[in-house]
Amino acid sequence: MRSSFPLSVSLGLAALLSLSACGFSGEASKTGQAADPNQRIVVDNFRAPVADWALESDAAYILSLSGCLETLTRYDETQGKIVPSLATEWKQVSDLEWDFTLREGVKFQDGAALDAKAVVTSLQNVLDADVPARAFSPKVVKAVKAIDENTVRVTTPTESPLVPYRLASVNTGVLSPAAFKGANVDPFGHCTGPFKPVSEKPKQSLTLDRNEDYWGGDVQLAGAEVRFITDGATRTAQVQTGEADVSLSIPVSGLAALESDSNVKLLKADSPRTATLYMNNGRAPFDDVDFRKAVRLALDLDALAASVYEGAAIPATGPFAPSEPWAIKDAKAPKQDVEAAKKLLASAGYTAGRPLEIVAIVERAEFADVATVIQENLKAVGVPVKITTKEYAAVEPDLLSGNYDMVLSQRNRLIDIADPIGFLTADYTCDGTYNLSHFCNAEYDKKITQAATTADSQERYRLYAEAGQILQDQAVNVWLVNEQAIDAVRTDMQGHVQDPLARYVLRAESAKP
């Protein structure tokens, strides 16, 4: 199968991620105020880099949303498809090979020219990492090489129709070769984007200045500060007081105050995120499917959505949202059934012993309350629970090693690439690198392997739905509620467009009067 750009996703996915009226480009004409080229803004982000600036880590998201790091391709959330960025076109030249043509005239912020050799150096750095990025690892990419000065070839171990999607992953962002000369990756002065990082306060903030030589045109802001604020209440307060111009991932507890504030605009979009109660399938008593099903039946998802989420989320029907094109057909949210849960617990041979622990990730402010609701629901069926709150960085090693009972977290199904293959592979296959559930099922793995080589999107989506049904039948986790992406901006922000995947926040068009 050979194809050339653009590869577009289905209209269903486009509808899922499309935004309406999220920009403010018309504000200046309404007020008569022109954008001030000397303005700087503050963005409150909900997480900090946890591995210095290694591109294979989540630090790449910080560099991308900060307007520093750019990729060869980009997923355009308004069009719902892959579009050019540092590459202008791409073509599948054989079953296993894709060629990407680089944009001419692009320079890194250190003055070096963007060429194929520089791109290969950056991508190879990710491939060679001790823990490669899920979207771009040796499992899915065999080699990258320069064909000529302006052409990069990506070779895959098996035919893959999703290579352009993988090159839109922030983990494949391109840095100047000078960024890799030390022991650690150094993004300062080595990006191609509209903003260049100039200083940082580790784990606190990143300061950026305008890139005066940006290939994409004039940059409207003089610079910005991206603050790493894990506490949702603080992010809410700072956008309300004007300490921040943009605050990402507003907790539902802050919605009422912001909705009544005329100086703040709330931006909401459907999001491929589901709040999830992860259960450690590799550890008793969660290694028994009847016990996991009992936990699911014990929970009142309708009450949870109405109370903790104040109606801003809907009960989940499974691992996917109903609006997604790969959703399980006719899936229904499970209803609480205490008596049925008790019978399943008896079938599993469960007798109450040590209290089972739920870890609530503090980055999501509502999870502490969610944990309390779950604790009460499980108490009603005879399962004692204790609650612990921790920052995600502190608990991740235990999650990956299987040293936990339950954890409340949420995953964006399109976080690795703009197709659920990344999420479904990393999170639930036997060899998945982010398999927090410690689930392993041969039938599931077979469907995911087949989907990864299926070019026809509708057939691929059918396989995703079948894989999702296996996860639901095995009660791998309890998918609690489908969330919205909710950000807040000051009303004087111009040119700001919400990205429900939180990859592109600071853009060349962002401005203030």
Side-chain angles (χ1 to χ4, degrees):
M1 170 99 183
R2 290 163 173 74
S3 56
S4 59
F5 102 92
L7 267 68
S8 62
V9 292
S10 75
L11 291 176
L13 178 57
L16 171 70
L17 294 180
S18 63
L19 307 174
S20 59
C22 290
F24 294 91
S25 57
E27 290 297 314
S29 60
K30 293 178 183 179
T31 63
Q33 292 178 296
D36 182 352
N38 297 314
Q39 281 280 359
R40 305 180 69 90
I41 67 168
V42 172
V43 175
D44 280 359
N45 187 45
F46 53 90
R47 60 183 167 190
V50 295
D52 295 318
W53 296 108
L55 294 184
E56 69 273 12
S57 75
D58 282 352
Y61 288 91
I62 305 297
L63 294 175
S64 177
L65 72 86
S66 300
C68 167
L69 189 66
E70 295 183 311
T71 49
L72 296 189
T73 64
R74 184 172 63 84
Y75 182 78
D76 186 287
E77 67 274 9
T78 59
Q79 299 182 60
K81 66 181 183 180
I82 300 295
V83 298
S85 185
L86 295 180
T88 56
E89 59 183 3
W90 46 92
K91 185 177 182 180
Q92 188 175 9
V93 296
S94 76
D95 288 347
L96 304 180
E97 296 171 316
W98 287 78
D99 284 356
F100 291 79
T101 302
L102 303 183
R103 187 179 298 277
E104 296 183 4
V106 177
K107 290 186 177 181
F108 292 102
Q109 293 164 358
D110 59 11
L114 175 78
D115 59 17
K117 184 178 179 181
V119 172
V120 169
T121 297
S122 200
L123 294 179
Q124 193 65 50
N125 179 270
V126 175
L127 285 178
D128 292 342
D130 291 337
V131 183
R134 294 182 290 268
F136 202 80
S137 74
K139 288 185 178 181
V140 294
V141 174
K142 184 177 180 181
V144 291
K145 68 176 182 178
I147 300 300
D148 57 38
E149 186 176 355
N150 293 312
T151 308
V152 173
R153 176 165 293 172
V154 177
T155 304
T156 56
T158 58
E159 183 173 4
S160 173
L162 296 173
V163 172
Y165 287 79
R166 297 192 181 281
L167 271 298
S169 164
V170 295
N171 299 117
T172 67
V174 180
L175 294 176
S176 167
F180 306 104
K181 290 183 178 178
N184 298 316
V185 176
D186 178 13
F188 288 79
H190 299 142
C191 294
T192 60
F195 294 93
K196 54 183 180 181
V198 292
S199 65
E200 68 170 314
K201 294 179 181 178
K203 312 303 181 187
Q204 296 184 53
S205 65
L206 179 68
T207 299
L208 305 105
D209 287 346
R210 174 194 291 125
N211 179 5
E212 299 286 358
D213 299 316
Y214 181 50
W215 63 267
D218 292 339
V219 180
Q220 300 302 308
L221 289 171
E225 179 186 13
V226 177
R227 295 174 180 167
F228 311 135
I229 298 179
T230 59
D231 182 68
T234 302
R235 293 195 303 276
T236 300
Q238 288 196 350
V239 75
Q240 192 167 22
T241 62
E243 294 175 76
D245 298 283
V246 180
S247 282
L248 304 181
S249 191
I250 296 296
V252 292
S253 59
L255 295 184
L258 295 183
E259 285 172 341
S260 62
D261 191 332
S262 61
N263 294 313
V264 177
K265 173 85 171 181
L266 280 174
L267 307 180
K268 301 179 182 180
D270 286 341
S271 168
R273 292 181 177 92
T274 300
T276 302
L277 177 66
Y278 287 84
M279 297 182 287
N280 185 352
N281 289 210
R283 181 178 190 172
F286 302 96
D287 56 352
D288 189 302
V289 65
D290 282 344
F291 181 85
R292 299 195 300 268
K293 288 181 178 179
V295 171
R296 184 169 65 189
L297 284 172
L299 304 188
D300 189 343
L301 302 188
D302 291 314
L304 181 68
S307 60
V308 176
Y309 287 89
E310 300 179 19
I314 61 173
T317 59
F320 307 126
S323 59
E324 293 175 283
W326 43 78
I328 301 168
K329 187 177 181 181
D330 299 326
K332 304 292 184 183
K335 297 295 183 182
Q336 184 183 42
D337 190 331
V338 171
E339 293 307 312
K342 289 179 178 179
K343 289 179 181 179
L344 283 171
L345 289 173
S347 174
Y350 172 78
T351 56
R354 67 176 179 90
L356 301 177
E357 182 183 43
I358 294 180
V359 178
I361 304 301
V362 300
E363 285 87 343
R364 306 293 295 186
E366 64 274 13
F367 278 167
D369 291 336
V370 172
T372 299
V373 172
I374 293 173
Q375 183 184 49
E376 290 302 311
N377 286 169
L378 291 180
K379 180 180 178 181
V381 297
V383 178
V385 168
K386 67 177 182 178
I387 299 170
T388 302
T389 57
K390 291 183 180 180
E391 290 191 358
Y392 178 77
V395 75
E396 184 182 62
D398 284 339
L399 301 182
L400 293 173
S401 65
N403 185 28
Y404 83 101
D405 291 325
M406 296 176 280
V407 63
L408 282 167
S409 189
Q410 59 92 14
R411 273 275 280 164
N412 189 321
R413 286 178 288 281
L414 305 182
I415 196 67
D416 298 325
I417 64 173
D419 181 279
I421 191 68
F423 159 78
L424 293 171
T425 300
D427 289 37
Y428 295 110
T429 59
C430 294
D431 294 329
T433 56
Y434 198 71
N435 190 343
L436 303 186
S437 311
H438 299 274
F439 170 73
C440 182
N441 180 281
E443 182 184 359
Y444 174 89
D445 280 17
K446 183 179 179 180
K447 290 188 181 296
I448 297 305
T449 298
Q450 184 179 352
T453 59
T454 300
D456 179 79
S457 61
Q458 294 306 311
E459 176 63 13
R460 196 165 67 247
Y461 297 166
R462 184 186 66 79
L463 289 167
Y464 294 158
E466 291 178 358
Q469 187 65 60
I470 293 172
L471 299 178
Q472 186 75 332
D473 291 345
Q474 292 296 311
V476 175
N477 294 316
V478 183
W479 292 278
L480 301 171
V481 296
N482 294 319
E483 303 180 55
Q484 284 187 308
I486 305 176
D487 302 331
V489 300
R490 301 288 294 178
T491 53
D492 59 354
M493 279 296 301
Q494 301 172 17
H496 180 78
V497 178
Q498 184 188 27
D499 175 11
L501 303 185
R503 302 146 307 162
Y504 318 122
V505 178
L506 278 173
R507 311 187 192 206
E509 309 83 44
S510 298
K512 290 190 73 178

